[in-house]
Amino acid sequence: MKTHLRIGYIPLIDATPILVAADHGFAEAEGLTIDLVREVSWSNVRDKLNLGLFDASHMLAPLPVASSLGIGHVKVPLIVPFTLALNGNAITVSPSLYSELAAVADGDITDPRVSARALHRVVADRRARGAPVLNFGMTFPFSNHNYQLRFWMAAGGVDPDEDVRLVVLPPPYMVESLTSGHVDCFCVGAPWNSVAVDNGVGHILHFGCDIVRRMSEKVLAVRENWANDNPDTLSALIRALAKAAAFAEDPANLAAVCETVGVRVGADAEVISRTLKGALKTTTEGETRSSDEYILLERGQANRPDTAHAAWMYADMVRWRQAPLSAEHRAIVESVFRPELYDRAVGHAPPAEVIDPPDRIGAFVGPAFVPSDIAGYLDSWRSRPNGRPRLTVVR
């Protein structure tokens, strides 16, 4: 008799391990049947998981941390026993904003240090002219989309809470919002950046890995009490996902994976192929750019939850005044990402592979991140008059 699981997901390519596990027999081989439920917004996914309507879900990596801390919503302890994808985001701007940035850039605009300084100049010029404030779309307050945008802006001297407007939009609505002019820029996962470029309404300015080289982007989240009550089922699910992720990254399986994901996500197989290869069209003129770090589904220990990433995301929450810094919160954060559950399920500890970058984060500016010293990390940033810690402006 098979165990039936109900799993929610958002139509994004970083859900691939879940989609492939359900549709290519990996779940069935572990004695599971999966009912995939497509959702539109991250709040829907979080609420249905918290209420027990889902057994597990595709989720923004910072969201289980926020839920376990009880910030932004009711407190429901969630855990992360599996990382679905590292990286995979991009920052896309409208053609008009791209032109504004390019006109004042003091170097290669694909360098985030250059573009951040250019954004500062554009914001200052708009303020002086009395032009409307720029609107930036991100998917959720507790998301790496939000934190990557803020990190990039602050590095150039832009205050994301004072100088621009950040708005929350579900991923499938990003392109429409850019097309209509409701936002000037967005940060989101694939395929929506590529869809904007293909539709002629956006330029991909930066890959997420340009801002932070290695970051848990989407994870499998489950309620802590469910995990405690169903350890064997959870292990079976982890094994199915691990095998699916390895299958999806094998070039021999690319066509089959693209077909499966295309149906579940509602995107063209060619766009999915570009995404999984890390080779994206970045401008409406057809320019392309490649990175072997754009999205990692299995390579480089991608599936093993990294506690340093949970600490980094908590540091972002503290930096942007979503949460206080406290020993109690640190203890909770350390209990969310659970690499030992992954190790138990797959039957071995990770290989003795050196993770690059050394701090396992690799932010494009600033000091190396030390998970055990979040206070010191934040103190290394220059404070603004309002007391919010900021990264030293790049000169």
Tab-separated table of all heavy atoms in Angstrom, residues 285-340:
chain	number	residue	atom	x	y	z
A	285	GLU	N	17.174	42.399	-27.729
A	285	GLU	CA	17.944	42.326	-28.976
A	285	GLU	C	18.559	40.944	-29.178
A	285	GLU	O	19.251	40.709	-30.167
A	285	GLU	CB	19.051	43.388	-28.995
A	285	GLU	CG	18.551	44.819	-29.149
A	285	GLU	CD	17.948	45.362	-27.864
A	285	GLU	OE1	18.388	44.938	-26.770
A	285	GLU	OE2	17.024	46.185	-27.941
A	286	GLY	N	18.342	40.045	-28.238
A	286	GLY	CA	18.812	38.674	-28.390
A	286	GLY	C	20.159	38.380	-27.788
A	286	GLY	O	20.723	37.301	-28.026
A	287	GLU	N	20.730	39.306	-27.010
A	287	GLU	CA	21.993	39.022	-26.338
A	287	GLU	C	21.783	37.879	-25.338
A	287	GLU	O	20.711	37.742	-24.756
A	287	GLU	CB	22.507	40.267	-25.614
A	287	GLU	CG	22.870	41.412	-26.545
A	287	GLU	CD	23.341	42.637	-25.784
A	287	GLU	OE1	23.890	42.462	-24.672
A	287	GLU	OE2	23.137	43.757	-26.279
A	288	THR	N	22.823	37.082	-25.138
A	288	THR	CA	22.729	35.931	-24.237
A	288	THR	C	23.842	35.993	-23.198
A	288	THR	O	24.859	36.676	-23.381
A	288	THR	CB	22.820	34.606	-24.997
A	288	THR	OG1	24.092	34.528	-25.650
A	288	THR	CG2	21.706	34.493	-26.023
A	289	ARG	N	23.623	35.260	-22.140
A	289	ARG	CA	24.631	35.155	-21.086
A	289	ARG	C	24.488	33.790	-20.444
A	289	ARG	O	23.372	33.277	-20.306
A	289	ARG	CB	24.433	36.248	-20.049
A	289	ARG	CG	25.536	36.256	-18.990
A	289	ARG	CD	25.380	37.382	-18.002
A	289	ARG	NE	26.147	37.063	-16.817
A	289	ARG	CZ	25.792	37.336	-15.589
A	289	ARG	NH1	24.656	37.948	-15.357
A	289	ARG	NH2	26.559	37.005	-14.577
A	290	SER	N	25.624	33.200	-20.038
A	290	SER	CA	25.606	31.874	-19.435
A	290	SER	C	26.318	31.883	-18.090
A	290	SER	O	27.256	32.650	-17.880
A	290	SER	CB	26.287	30.845	-20.351
A	290	SER	OG	25.605	30.730	-21.581
A	291	SER	N	25.843	31.031	-17.194
A	291	SER	CA	26.521	30.805	-15.916
A	291	SER	C	26.214	29.393	-15.452
A	291	SER	O	25.040	28.999	-15.410
A	291	SER	CB	26.051	31.808	-14.857
A	291	SER	OG	26.557	31.448	-13.576
A	292	ASP	N	27.254	28.646	-15.099
A	292	ASP	CA	27.010	27.290	-14.605
A	292	ASP	C	26.532	27.315	-13.161
A	292	ASP	O	26.260	26.262	-12.575
A	292	ASP	CB	28.236	26.402	-14.767
A	292	ASP	CG	29.470	26.926	-14.034
A	292	ASP	OD1	29.356	27.919	-13.274
A	292	ASP	OD2	30.556	26.351	-14.230
A	293	GLU	N	26.416	28.525	-12.559
A	293	GLU	CA	25.883	28.651	-11.212
A	293	GLU	C	24.488	29.264	-11.203
A	293	GLU	O	23.941	29.509	-10.134
A	293	GLU	CB	26.814	29.532	-10.356
A	293	GLU	CG	28.177	28.925	-10.111
A	293	GLU	CD	29.070	29.790	-9.246
A	293	GLU	OE1	29.140	31.010	-9.505
A	293	GLU	OE2	29.688	29.250	-8.310
A	294	TYR	N	23.914	29.485	-12.385
A	294	TYR	CA	22.625	30.160	-12.438
A	294	TYR	C	21.564	29.423	-11.617
A	294	TYR	O	20.847	30.016	-10.818
A	294	TYR	CB	22.146	30.325	-13.886
A	294	TYR	CG	20.740	30.874	-13.953
A	294	TYR	CD1	20.455	32.155	-13.507
A	294	TYR	CD2	19.688	30.081	-14.415
A	294	TYR	CE1	19.165	32.656	-13.523
A	294	TYR	CE2	18.395	30.574	-14.435
A	294	TYR	CZ	18.137	31.859	-14.000
A	294	TYR	OH	16.846	32.339	-14.004
A	295	ILE	N	21.448	28.113	-11.822
A	295	ILE	CA	20.544	27.302	-11.006
A	295	ILE	C	21.169	25.931	-10.809
A	295	ILE	O	21.678	25.324	-11.762
A	295	ILE	CB	19.141	27.187	-11.639
A	295	ILE	CG1	18.173	26.469	-10.687
A	295	ILE	CG2	19.185	26.515	-12.992
A	295	ILE	CD1	16.719	26.576	-11.111
A	296	LEU	N	21.178	25.473	-9.565
A	296	LEU	CA	21.750	24.172	-9.213
A	296	LEU	C	20.645	23.330	-8.588
A	296	LEU	O	20.125	23.669	-7.524
A	296	LEU	CB	22.900	24.335	-8.218
A	296	LEU	CG	24.052	25.266	-8.626
A	296	LEU	CD1	25.055	25.398	-7.486
A	296	LEU	CD2	24.741	24.774	-9.881
A	297	LEU	N	20.309	22.244	-9.246
A	297	LEU	CA	19.275	21.347	-8.730
A	297	LEU	C	19.854	20.201	-7.911
A	297	LEU	O	19.176	19.665	-7.036
A	297	LEU	CB	18.454	20.765	-9.884
A	297	LEU	CG	17.673	21.750	-10.743
A	297	LEU	CD1	16.908	20.993	-11.828
A	297	LEU	CD2	16.726	22.597	-9.907
A	298	GLU	N	21.106	19.823	-8.212
A	298	GLU	CA	21.709	18.682	-7.500
A	298	GLU	C	23.210	18.836	-7.338
A	298	GLU	O	23.775	18.383	-6.340
A	298	GLU	CB	21.401	17.385	-8.271
A	298	GLU	CG	21.787	16.111	-7.537
A	298	GLU	CD	23.160	15.583	-7.950
A	298	GLU	OE1	23.695	16.043	-8.987
A	298	GLU	OE2	23.703	14.721	-7.227
A	299	ARG	N	23.835	19.522	-8.278
A	299	ARG	CA	25.289	19.667	-8.245
A	299	ARG	C	25.752	20.413	-6.990
A	299	ARG	O	25.050	21.244	-6.455
A	299	ARG	CB	25.764	20.441	-9.480
A	299	ARG	CG	25.705	19.666	-10.786
A	299	ARG	CD	25.967	20.580	-11.969
A	299	ARG	NE	24.872	21.498	-12.191
A	299	ARG	CZ	25.027	22.783	-12.497
A	299	ARG	NH1	26.238	23.309	-12.570
A	299	ARG	NH2	23.978	23.548	-12.719
A	300	GLY	N	27.004	20.092	-6.564
A	300	GLY	CA	27.623	20.823	-5.479
A	300	GLY	C	26.898	20.724	-4.154
A	300	GLY	O	26.798	21.703	-3.418
A	301	GLN	N	26.385	19.535	-3.835
A	301	GLN	CA	25.650	19.315	-2.578
A	301	GLN	C	24.428	20.238	-2.483
A	301	GLN	O	24.045	20.675	-1.396
A	301	GLN	CB	26.560	19.521	-1.367
A	301	GLN	CG	27.751	18.589	-1.305
A	301	GLN	CD	28.602	18.823	-0.065
A	301	GLN	OE1	28.115	19.249	0.972
A	301	GLN	NE2	29.886	18.540	-0.189
A	302	ALA	N	23.819	20.517	-3.606
A	302	ALA	CA	22.715	21.471	-3.624
A	302	ALA	C	21.539	21.024	-2.772
A	302	ALA	O	20.826	21.863	-2.205
A	302	ALA	CB	22.248	21.699	-5.063
A	303	ASN	N	21.299	19.718	-2.659
A	303	ASN	CA	20.087	19.239	-1.982
A	303	ASN	C	20.215	19.168	-0.467
A	303	ASN	O	19.205	19.105	0.236
A	303	ASN	CB	19.697	17.858	-2.509
A	303	ASN	CG	19.426	17.833	-3.999
A	303	ASN	OD1	19.770	16.876	-4.676
A	303	ASN	ND2	18.838	18.893	-4.542
A	304	ARG	N	21.440	19.180	0.034
A	304	ARG	CA	21.637	19.071	1.484
A	304	ARG	C	21.393	20.438	2.133
A	304	ARG	O	22.057	21.412	1.810
A	304	ARG	CB	23.045	18.581	1.797
A	304	ARG	CG	23.262	18.221	3.265
A	304	ARG	CD	24.644	17.608	3.453
A	304	ARG	NE	24.768	17.020	4.795
A	304	ARG	CZ	25.333	17.653	5.829
A	304	ARG	NH1	25.829	18.871	5.680
A	304	ARG	NH2	25.416	17.060	7.002
A	305	PRO	N	20.435	20.552	3.041
A	305	PRO	CA	20.155	21.847	3.671
A	305	PRO	C	21.400	22.421	4.333
A	305	PRO	O	22.128	21.705	5.029
A	305	PRO	CB	19.074	21.512	4.706
A	305	PRO	CG	18.434	20.266	4.192
A	305	PRO	CD	19.534	19.493	3.533
A	306	ASP	N	21.636	23.699	4.102
A	306	ASP	CA	22.830	24.364	4.613
A	306	ASP	C	22.425	25.335	5.717
A	306	ASP	O	21.743	26.332	5.465
A	306	ASP	CB	23.533	25.113	3.480
A	306	ASP	CG	24.936	25.576	3.855
A	306	ASP	OD1	25.178	25.824	5.055
A	306	ASP	OD2	25.783	25.687	2.947
A	307	THR	N	22.851	25.061	6.933
A	307	THR	CA	22.469	25.901	8.063
A	307	THR	C	23.039	27.313	7.951
A	307	THR	O	22.478	28.257	8.519
A	307	THR	CB	22.918	25.267	9.389
A	307	THR	OG1	24.328	25.029	9.338
A	307	THR	CG2	22.191	23.943	9.626
A	308	ALA	N	24.144	27.475	7.208
A	308	ALA	CA	24.686	28.816	6.996
A	308	ALA	C	23.695	29.676	6.222
A	308	ALA	O	23.610	30.884	6.435
A	308	ALA	CB	26.023	28.745	6.256
A	309	HIS	N	22.943	29.060	5.322
A	309	HIS	CA	21.963	29.810	4.544
A	309	HIS	C	20.809	30.281	5.425
A	309	HIS	O	20.307	31.398	5.270
A	309	HIS	CB	21.440	28.953	3.392
A	309	HIS	CG	22.481	28.627	2.378
A	309	HIS	ND1	22.227	27.850	1.264
A	309	HIS	CD2	23.797	28.970	2.298
A	309	HIS	CE1	23.328	27.728	0.547
A	309	HIS	NE2	24.291	28.391	1.159
A	310	ALA	N	20.385	29.428	6.348
A	310	ALA	CA	19.326	29.838	7.270
A	310	ALA	C	19.792	31.025	8.110
A	310	ALA	O	19.037	31.982	8.338
A	310	ALA	CB	18.929	28.671	8.175
A	311	ALA	N	21.048	30.989	8.551
A	311	ALA	CA	21.585	32.088	9.351
A	311	ALA	C	21.680	33.371	8.532
A	311	ALA	O	21.383	34.471	9.034
A	311	ALA	CB	22.958	31.712	9.900
A	312	TRP	N	22.087	33.250	7.275
A	312	TRP	CA	22.173	34.421	6.395
A	312	TRP	C	20.799	35.065	6.220
A	312	TRP	O	20.645	36.290	6.299
A	312	TRP	CB	22.753	34.009	5.046
A	312	TRP	CG	22.606	35.046	3.962
A	312	TRP	CD1	21.567	35.199	3.103
A	312	TRP	CD2	23.537	36.078	3.634
A	312	TRP	NE1	21.787	36.252	2.254
A	312	TRP	CE2	22.992	36.815	2.555
A	312	TRP	CE3	24.786	36.446	4.135
A	312	TRP	CZ2	23.649	37.894	1.965
A	312	TRP	CZ3	25.442	37.535	3.548
A	312	TRP	CH2	24.879	38.237	2.486
A	313	MET	N	19.784	34.250	5.994
A	313	MET	CA	18.438	34.789	5.795
A	313	MET	C	17.912	35.437	7.072
A	313	MET	O	17.225	36.467	7.027
A	313	MET	CB	17.513	33.689	5.277
A	313	MET	CG	17.870	33.281	3.847
A	313	MET	SD	16.831	31.985	3.145
A	313	MET	CE	17.523	30.527	3.913
A	314	TYR	N	18.238	34.853	8.215
A	314	TYR	CA	17.859	35.477	9.479
A	314	TYR	C	18.569	36.828	9.633
A	314	TYR	O	17.974	37.816	10.085
A	314	TYR	CB	18.185	34.552	10.643
A	314	TYR	CG	17.952	35.147	12.009
A	314	TYR	CD1	16.730	35.744	12.339
A	314	TYR	CD2	18.953	35.130	12.969
A	314	TYR	CE1	16.518	36.293	13.599
A	314	TYR	CE2	18.757	35.670	14.231
A	314	TYR	CZ	17.532	36.255	14.534
A	314	TYR	OH	17.332	36.814	15.773
A	315	ALA	N	19.844	36.893	9.235
A	315	ALA	CA	20.569	38.161	9.285
A	315	ALA	C	19.875	39.210	8.420
A	315	ALA	O	19.800	40.397	8.785
A	315	ALA	CB	22.017	37.966	8.834
A	316	ASP	N	19.345	38.799	7.260
A	316	ASP	CA	18.583	39.724	6.414
A	316	ASP	C	17.323	40.206	7.127
A	316	ASP	O	16.957	41.382	7.051
A	316	ASP	CB	18.190	39.044	5.098
A	316	ASP	CG	19.312	39.051	4.081
A	316	ASP	OD1	20.014	40.070	3.976
A	316	ASP	OD2	19.492	38.031	3.387
A	317	MET	N	16.648	39.295	7.807
A	317	MET	CA	15.443	39.685	8.539
A	317	MET	C	15.763	40.712	9.628
A	317	MET	O	15.014	41.669	9.834
A	317	MET	CB	14.780	38.446	9.147
A	317	MET	CG	14.240	37.476	8.122
A	317	MET	SD	13.649	35.929	8.871
A	317	MET	CE	13.374	34.936	7.393
A	318	VAL	N	16.888	40.511	10.282
A	318	VAL	CA	17.307	41.460	11.309
A	318	VAL	C	17.699	42.781	10.666
A	318	VAL	O	17.309	43.861	11.121
A	318	VAL	CB	18.476	40.887	12.135
A	318	VAL	CG1	19.012	41.933	13.116
A	318	VAL	CG2	18.032	39.631	12.888
A	319	ARG	N	18.463	42.707	9.588
A	319	ARG	CA	18.937	43.919	8.913
A	319	ARG	C	17.782	44.813	8.499
A	319	ARG	O	17.840	46.028	8.650
A	319	ARG	CB	19.764	43.536	7.693
A	319	ARG	CG	20.297	44.750	6.939
A	319	ARG	CD	21.037	44.361	5.676
A	319	ARG	NE	21.605	45.549	5.052
A	319	ARG	CZ	22.220	45.554	3.885
A	319	ARG	NH1	22.363	44.424	3.210
A	319	ARG	NH2	22.701	46.681	3.376
A	320	TRP	N	16.726	44.207	7.983
A	320	TRP	CA	15.607	44.986	7.450
A	320	TRP	C	14.440	45.064	8.421
A	320	TRP	O	13.318	45.319	8.050
A	320	TRP	CB	15.185	44.412	6.091
A	320	TRP	CG	16.330	44.444	5.137
A	320	TRP	CD1	17.021	43.393	4.616
A	320	TRP	CD2	16.985	45.618	4.632
A	320	TRP	NE1	18.039	43.818	3.818
A	320	TRP	CE2	18.047	45.183	3.806
A	320	TRP	CE3	16.777	46.996	4.797
A	320	TRP	CZ2	18.901	46.071	3.145
A	320	TRP	CZ3	17.623	47.880	4.143
A	320	TRP	CH2	18.666	47.416	3.330
A	321	ARG	N	14.748	44.864	9.698
A	321	ARG	CA	13.812	45.091	10.792
A	321	ARG	C	12.533	44.263	10.694
A	321	ARG	O	11.464	44.675	11.109
A	321	ARG	CB	13.469	46.587	10.892
A	321	ARG	CG	14.674	47.423	11.290
A	321	ARG	CD	14.318	48.868	11.480
A	321	ARG	NE	15.463	49.595	12.030
A	321	ARG	CZ	15.473	50.900	12.229
A	321	ARG	NH1	14.406	51.620	11.941
A	321	ARG	NH2	16.548	51.494	12.722
A	322	GLN	N	12.690	43.067	10.173
A	322	GLN	CA	11.581	42.115	10.205
A	322	GLN	C	11.594	41.308	11.488
A	322	GLN	O	10.569	40.740	11.870
A	322	GLN	CB	11.658	41.173	9.001
A	322	GLN	CG	11.446	41.827	7.657
A	322	GLN	CD	11.636	40.843	6.513
A	322	GLN	OE1	12.510	39.982	6.545
A	322	GLN	NE2	10.804	40.970	5.487
A	323	ALA	N	12.753	41.218	12.123
A	323	ALA	CA	12.899	40.411	13.338
A	323	ALA	C	14.003	41.000	14.192
A	323	ALA	O	14.953	41.598	13.666
A	323	ALA	CB	13.231	38.965	12.976
A	324	PRO	N	13.911	40.826	15.518
A	324	PRO	CA	15.010	41.247	16.394
A	324	PRO	C	16.105	40.193	16.398
A	324	PRO	O	15.874	39.031	16.064
A	324	PRO	CB	14.336	41.346	17.757
A	324	PRO	CG	13.245	40.311	17.699
A	324	PRO	CD	12.753	40.313	16.277
A	325	LEU	N	17.298	40.613	16.772
A	325	LEU	CA	18.400	39.672	16.950
A	325	LEU	C	18.406	39.225	18.404
A	325	LEU	O	18.519	40.033	19.321
A	325	LEU	CB	19.731	40.340	16.610
A	325	LEU	CG	20.985	39.463	16.736
A	325	LEU	CD1	20.901	38.267	15.803
A	325	LEU	CD2	22.238	40.281	16.453
A	326	SER	N	18.232	37.922	18.617
A	326	SER	CA	18.200	37.411	19.985
A	326	SER	C	18.724	35.986	20.002
A	326	SER	O	18.681	35.272	18.992
A	326	SER	CB	16.775	37.441	20.540
A	326	SER	OG	15.969	36.455	19.921
A	327	ALA	N	19.208	35.584	21.166
A	327	ALA	CA	19.685	34.209	21.326
A	327	ALA	C	18.550	33.216	21.131
A	327	ALA	O	18.737	32.132	20.574
A	327	ALA	CB	20.316	34.040	22.707
A	328	GLU	N	17.347	33.579	21.584
A	328	GLU	CA	16.194	32.697	21.421
A	328	GLU	C	15.893	32.474	19.949
A	328	GLU	O	15.654	31.339	19.507
A	328	GLU	CB	14.979	33.302	22.122
A	328	GLU	CG	13.715	32.475	21.967
A	328	GLU	CD	12.487	33.155	22.543
A	328	GLU	OE1	12.603	34.303	23.023
A	328	GLU	OE2	11.410	32.547	22.492
A	329	HIS	N	15.895	33.545	19.177
A	329	HIS	CA	15.634	33.414	17.742
A	329	HIS	C	16.741	32.626	17.047
A	329	HIS	O	16.456	31.826	16.153
A	329	HIS	CB	15.478	34.803	17.113
A	329	HIS	CG	14.099	35.362	17.258
A	329	HIS	ND1	13.685	36.507	16.606
A	329	HIS	CD2	13.031	34.932	17.969
A	329	HIS	CE1	12.428	36.756	16.920
A	329	HIS	NE2	12.009	35.818	17.741
A	330	ARG	N	17.983	32.867	17.440
A	330	ARG	CA	19.080	32.125	16.832
A	330	ARG	C	18.906	30.626	17.036
A	330	ARG	O	19.127	29.823	16.126
A	330	ARG	CB	20.424	32.566	17.433
A	330	ARG	CG	21.063	33.807	16.823
A	330	ARG	CD	21.397	33.641	15.353
A	330	ARG	NE	22.075	32.393	15.070
A	330	ARG	CZ	23.383	32.214	15.191
A	330	ARG	NH1	24.148	33.200	15.598
A	330	ARG	NH2	23.935	31.053	14.895
A	331	ALA	N	18.487	30.236	18.213
A	331	ALA	CA	18.291	28.813	18.504
A	331	ALA	C	17.192	28.230	17.632
A	331	ALA	O	17.292	27.098	17.137
A	331	ALA	CB	17.965	28.621	19.977
A	332	ILE	N	16.118	28.994	17.430
A	332	ILE	CA	15.022	28.518	16.572
A	332	ILE	C	15.500	28.389	15.132
A	332	ILE	O	15.235	27.383	14.457
A	332	ILE	CB	13.819	29.477	16.663
A	332	ILE	CG1	13.204	29.411	18.064
A	332	ILE	CG2	12.773	29.136	15.607
A	332	ILE	CD1	12.143	30.459	18.323
A	333	VAL	N	16.203	29.414	14.650
A	333	VAL	CA	16.693	29.403	13.264
A	333	VAL	C	17.583	28.186	13.020
A	333	VAL	O	17.489	27.524	11.975
A	333	VAL	CB	17.453	30.710	12.958
A	333	VAL	CG1	18.170	30.622	11.614
A	333	VAL	CG2	16.480	31.899	12.963
A	334	GLU	N	18.439	27.874	13.972
A	334	GLU	CA	19.352	26.739	13.818
A	334	GLU	C	18.628	25.397	13.740
A	334	GLU	O	19.197	24.412	13.275
A	334	GLU	CB	20.351	26.729	14.977
A	334	GLU	CG	21.353	27.878	14.919
A	334	GLU	CD	22.209	27.971	16.170
A	334	GLU	OE1	22.006	27.144	17.081
A	334	GLU	OE2	23.075	28.860	16.236
A	335	SER	N	17.363	25.368	14.171
A	335	SER	CA	16.612	24.108	14.159
A	335	SER	C	15.775	23.923	12.897
A	335	SER	O	15.142	22.877	12.738
A	335	SER	CB	15.676	24.060	15.375
A	335	SER	OG	14.605	24.985	15.235
A	336	VAL	N	15.771	24.910	11.995
A	336	VAL	CA	14.885	24.851	10.820
A	336	VAL	C	15.491	24.021	9.694
A	336	VAL	O	14.857	23.100	9.174
A	336	VAL	CB	14.542	26.272	10.335
A	336	VAL	CG1	13.708	26.216	9.052
A	336	VAL	CG2	13.777	27.047	11.408
A	337	PHE	N	16.710	24.329	9.279
A	337	PHE	CA	17.360	23.566	8.222
A	337	PHE	C	17.975	22.319	8.845
A	337	PHE	O	18.803	22.415	9.749
A	337	PHE	CB	18.434	24.410	7.527
A	337	PHE	CG	17.885	25.341	6.467
A	337	PHE	CD1	16.724	26.062	6.686
A	337	PHE	CD2	18.534	25.498	5.259
A	337	PHE	CE1	16.210	26.915	5.715
A	337	PHE	CE2	18.035	26.350	4.279
A	337	PHE	CZ	16.868	27.060	4.509
A	338	ARG	N	17.609	21.128	8.325
A	338	ARG	CA	17.920	19.872	8.999
A	338	ARG	C	18.752	18.935	8.112
A	338	ARG	O	18.235	17.959	7.549
A	338	ARG	CB	16.617	19.194	9.419
A	338	ARG	CG	15.750	20.050	10.357
A	338	ARG	CD	16.340	20.135	11.740
A	338	ARG	NE	16.328	18.814	12.349
A	338	ARG	CZ	15.258	18.311	12.976
A	338	ARG	NH1	14.137	19.017	13.081
A	338	ARG	NH2	15.320	17.119	13.512
A	339	PRO	N	20.045	19.187	7.974
A	339	PRO	CA	20.870	18.318	7.127
A	339	PRO	C	20.935	16.877	7.610
A	339	PRO	O	21.120	15.957	6.812
A	339	PRO	CB	22.256	18.992	7.180
A	339	PRO	CG	22.241	19.828	8.422
A	339	PRO	CD	20.823	20.287	8.566
A	340	GLU	N	20.760	16.645	8.922
A	340	GLU	CA	20.857	15.267	9.429
A	340	GLU	C	19.699	14.411	8.924
A	340	GLU	O	19.846	13.189	8.751
A	340	GLU	CB	20.925	15.264	10.965
A	340	GLU	CG	19.607	15.414	11.689
A	340	GLU	CD	19.072	16.846	11.736
A	340	GLU	OE1	19.723	17.737	11.153
A	340	GLU	OE2	18.018	17.065	12.352
